[in-house]
């Protein structure tokens, strides 16, 4: 597994970070899925642009992906508070969540490799 980033300064007074609040409440799980997905997109887009070091952005991509994966699996198993039909928008007609997540991992690995290759070419 990739190195993940979960700093203590995101924890509340009970030691729960935002990811925990999406997994166990009170934050709606659909909001957490969207939050993670958008952060994956953001850090892929900015990798190597805000700073020359890709490392932090790539760690953030994987941190948000593994939380996204966890939340999708919880949701698929019937857990979490549903706040909208967001999952229908994100997953569409997906029947096999494991296959969907596997395809997403492959896609992320490819995008990360391309970003690293482009960044190395600029040096």
């Amino acid at each position: 597994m990739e190195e993940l980033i979960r700093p203590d300064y995101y924890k509340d007074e009970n030691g729960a970070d935002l990811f925990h609040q999406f997994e166990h409440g009170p934050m709606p799980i659909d909001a957490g899925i969207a939050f993670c997905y958008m952060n994956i997109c953001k850090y892929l887009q900015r990798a190597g642009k805000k700073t020359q070091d890709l490392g932090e952005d790539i760690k953030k991509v994987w941190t948000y992906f593994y939380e996204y994966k966890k939340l999708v699996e919880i949701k698929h198993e019937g857990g979490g508070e549903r706040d909208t039909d967001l999952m229908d928008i994100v997953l569409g007609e997906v029947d096999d969540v494991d296959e969907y997540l596997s395809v997403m991992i492959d896609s992320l690995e490819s995008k990360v490799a391309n970003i690293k290759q482009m960044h190395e070419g600029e040096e």
Side-chain angles (χ1 to χ4, degrees):
M1 179 185 282
E2 302 290 330
E3 184 179 349
L4 306 181
I5 298 174
R6 302 269 307 251
D8 287 340
Y9 52 79
Y10 285 116
K11 293 181 181 177
D12 65 15
E13 62 278 356
N14 298 316
D17 66 8
L18 194 56
F19 292 159
H20 184 272
Q21 293 175 31
F22 287 133
E23 294 167 21
H24 305 284
M27 303 293 279
I29 200 164
D30 289 340
I33 290 168
F35 173 78
C36 290
Y37 184 82
M38 295 309 297
N39 275 291
I40 291 167
C41 294
K42 174 177 79 173
Y43 288 111
L44 281 172
Q45 182 70 27
R46 82 170 210 188
K49 295 175 183 168
K50 185 173 180 180
T51 67
Q52 292 297 316
D53 179 18
L54 292 175
E56 286 300 304
D57 285 341
I58 299 303
K59 287 178 193 174
K60 290 175 184 178
V61 166
W62 288 113
T63 298
Y64 283 105
F65 172 73
Y66 283 110
E67 183 62 20
Y68 174 86
K69 178 180 183 294
K70 185 185 296 183
L71 293 172
V72 167
E73 289 169 343
I74 290 169
K75 187 67 179 178
H76 183 69
E77 293 167 5
E81 179 183 329
R82 187 179 186 109
D83 61 342
T84 66
D85 289 332
L86 181 62
M87 287 307 295
D88 297 332
I89 295 167
V90 172
L91 295 177
E93 298 296 319
V94 172
D95 292 322
D96 186 340
V97 172
D98 291 333
E99 180 180 337
Y100 166 79
L101 291 170
S102 177
V103 168
M104 188 162 181
I105 287 172
D106 291 344
S107 174
L108 285 175
E109 287 174 341
S110 175
K111 288 177 182 179
V112 166
N114 287 340
I115 289 167
K116 287 180 177 179
Q117 186 177 26
M118 287 181 353
H119 187 71
E120 288 170 359
E122 293 174 359
E123 293 178 351

